[in-house]
Amino acid sequence: MARHDPTELAKTAYTAYGRSTGGKNYRGQPMPAWDDLGPSIHSAWEVAAEAIARKVLGLDTRPRSEG
């Protein structure tokens, strides 16, 4: 796998989310700046971004669940 920085991927995803929602979170409140988010939120975005990268690169080999 080409190595991508999960933090940079997460920041890109967070920024794209903000652009698509007019800078609002799921509650309709203003989104904090990336640097104002705590480590657990950074980690969650990094895990999500890494999962997408693995899927796009064809590295997600887990079977799809039935249902």
Side-chain angles (χ1 to χ4, degrees):
M1 170 172 139
R3 190 68 193 138
H4 300 284
D5 179 9
T7 301
E8 288 305 313
L9 292 174
K11 286 179 182 180
T12 299
Y14 187 75
T15 299
Y17 178 93
R19 285 184 184 145
S20 73
T21 63
K24 305 289 184 187
N25 69 15
Y26 73 98
R27 292 181 177 166
Q29 299 168 336
M31 291 173 59
W34 176 262
D35 290 337
D36 294 335
L37 299 172
S40 65
I41 301 299
H42 282 179
S43 179
W45 278 95
E46 289 167 4
V47 168
E50 188 73 17
I52 292 166
R54 292 184 65 76
K55 186 75 163 182
V56 168
L57 294 171
L59 300 173
D60 186 2
T61 58
R62 289 173 280 163
R64 296 173 80 183
S65 63
E66 301 286 327

